[in-house]
Amino acid sequence: MKKIQLLFGILVLVLMSSCSFTEEITINPDGSGEFIMSYDMSTMLRTIQEAEGKKRDLNKKMSAPVDSVLYYNDLIIGKQDSISKLPLEEQDKIKKLKDIILKIKMNEATNEMIMGFGSTFTTIEDLPNALERINSAKAISNKDNPQYDKMNESAIAKSSEGALEHVTFTYKNNTFSRIYTAPENDEEKEQTTTDIEDVNAEISEMGDAFKEAFDLMTYNIIYHFPKKITSTTHKDAVISEDGKTLTLKLKFLELIENPDISSLNVFLEQ
């Protein structure tokens, strides 16, 4: 579990300084699938290095590239004997991690660092529960990590974590929908305005080098379907050559101020 906590700790640091977020959903023929939210701090690293005038030491030995996917259920199955000896409360906490997925891609030579965190789901209607499992897993694994508290205090991290708060996903009759519904009560409306103001204030406090990086920050949507896409309602969405993947690139700060720009319908072959 220490290795798992270390990976979560690294993810927390990425969350606090990421330059792009990628919401990726893969749907299988039976309607099940997986949700992954990836955090890319590659651009941030390059921007900071350029701003500070730093150059890579060519004589320095680089670490080997990493490109892996970790399914926590596989770890749990391999540690059943050890887990069964723990108190029941601890066993329950570990079992909550069973649907969690962690993706890591790091390449020092190209300044690439991408980490994805997600969960599997049985149907798209189960996705809200999957998101709850993800949040629970983060809290469990970072309860003794001081960086986790710092992340919770970050307005930018909060806004990325809350990007799906008012989003509904449906998948039926060969139609996939991602619809944002604006909050209706005054309290939620006021909170939304406050969140936007907090994000802008936080960015201003970080200085010019960071402002440039945050202006470049993107929120990417990538959806993989089991059938070919016939059309979509979003004018900026791009369909892959094989017709089964939809990609949409949005500016993160624009998304925070106007979440409805992420709403779309995707129509698939019958």
Side-chain angles (χ1 to χ4, degrees), residues 203-222:
I203 293 174
S204 296
E205 291 173 2
M206 290 184 179
D208 293 338
F210 282 91
K211 283 181 182 179
E212 181 182 350
F214 284 115
D215 284 339
L216 297 174
M217 185 182 292
T218 60
Y219 189 96
N220 309 304
I221 290 174
I222 303 176

Side-chain angles (χ1 to χ4, degrees), residues 19 42-52 209 212-213 216:
C19 261
S42 306
T43 304
M44 174 70 79
L45 289 177
R46 288 193 293 270
T47 300
I48 293 174
Q49 287 179 344
E50 291 171 2
E52 296 178 352
E212 181 182 350
L216 297 174

Side-chain angles (χ1 to χ4, degrees), residues 148-167:
Y148 186 71
D149 290 332
K150 291 182 181 179
M151 182 197 73
N152 283 339
E153 295 170 3
S154 167
I156 296 164
K158 286 179 181 178
S159 62
S160 66
E161 292 290 288
L164 299 171
E165 185 176 357
H166 297 288
V167 174

Side-chain angles (χ1 to χ4, degrees), residues 7-219:
L7 291 172
F8 273 97
I10 294 173
L11 177 62
V12 168
L13 294 176
V14 174
L15 275 168
M16 295 179 67
S17 58
S18 181
C19 261
S20 70
F21 306 85
T22 298
E23 171 193 318
E24 185 170 8
I25 296 177
T26 301
I27 297 180
N28 301 318
D30 65 355
S32 65
E34 63 180 41
F35 170 92
I36 299 286
M37 181 67 82
S38 297
Y39 307 89
D40 184 351
M41 65 178 295
S42 306
T43 304
M44 174 70 79
L45 289 177
R46 288 193 293 270
T47 300
I48 293 174
Q49 287 179 344
E50 291 171 2
E52 296 178 352
K54 292 183 177 180
K55 295 183 179 179
R56 180 182 296 280
D57 183 356
L58 297 178
N59 296 319
K60 180 183 176 182
K61 186 177 181 180
M62 296 182 183
S63 303
V66 176
D67 191 351
S68 61
V69 180
L70 176 65
Y71 290 90
Y72 281 41
N73 191 48
D74 294 339
L75 293 179
I76 292 173
I77 291 175
K79 299 288 185 180
Q80 286 286 15
D81 291 341
S82 300
I83 293 173
S84 64
K85 298 175 183 178
L86 296 173
L88 291 178
E89 183 178 353
E90 291 299 316
Q91 291 186 42
D92 289 339
K93 289 180 179 180
I94 293 174
K95 288 177 182 177
K96 289 182 179 180
L97 299 174
K98 75 179 184 66
D99 296 320
I100 301 302
I101 306 166
L102 182 63
K103 290 187 176 182
I104 307 171
K105 188 172 184 179
M106 299 177 66
N107 191 325
E108 190 176 352
T110 58
N111 284 328
E112 186 175 30
M113 184 174 181
I114 301 172
M115 302 189 75
F117 192 68
S119 176
T120 57
F121 56 83
T122 54
T123 67
I124 199 68
E125 287 74 22
D126 182 49
L127 188 51
N129 295 325
L131 297 176
E132 286 185 13
R133 290 194 293 271
I134 292 171
N135 291 332
S136 296
K138 287 178 183 176
I140 291 169
S141 296
N142 287 288
K143 64 179 181 179
D144 298 320
N145 188 337
Q147 296 294 342
Y148 186 71
D149 290 332
K150 291 182 181 179
M151 182 197 73
N152 283 339
E153 295 170 3
S154 167
I156 296 164
K158 286 179 181 178
S159 62
S160 66
E161 292 290 288
L164 299 171
E165 185 176 357
H166 297 288
V167 174
T168 301
F169 295 92
T170 59
Y171 178 49
K172 56 186 176 182
N173 300 324
N174 294 305
T175 300
F176 175 93
S177 298
R178 181 198 198 279
I179 304 298
Y180 171 80
T181 304
E184 296 183 355
N185 65 62
D186 293 338
E187 184 177 347
E188 288 185 326
K189 288 180 181 178
E190 183 177 348
Q191 184 60 53
T192 299
T193 300
T194 300
D195 290 344
I196 294 171
E197 292 174 348
D198 289 345
V199 168
N200 289 329
E202 188 168 273
I203 293 174
S204 296
E205 291 173 2
M206 290 184 179
D208 293 338
F210 282 91
K211 283 181 182 179
E212 181 182 350
F214 284 115
D215 284 339
L216 297 174
M217 185 182 292
T218 60
Y219 189 96

Side-chain angles (χ1 to χ4, degrees), residues 218-229:
T218 60
Y219 189 96
N220 309 304
I221 290 174
I222 303 176
Y223 297 149
H224 307 283
F225 299 99
K227 297 180 180 181
K228 286 189 175 183
I229 301 167

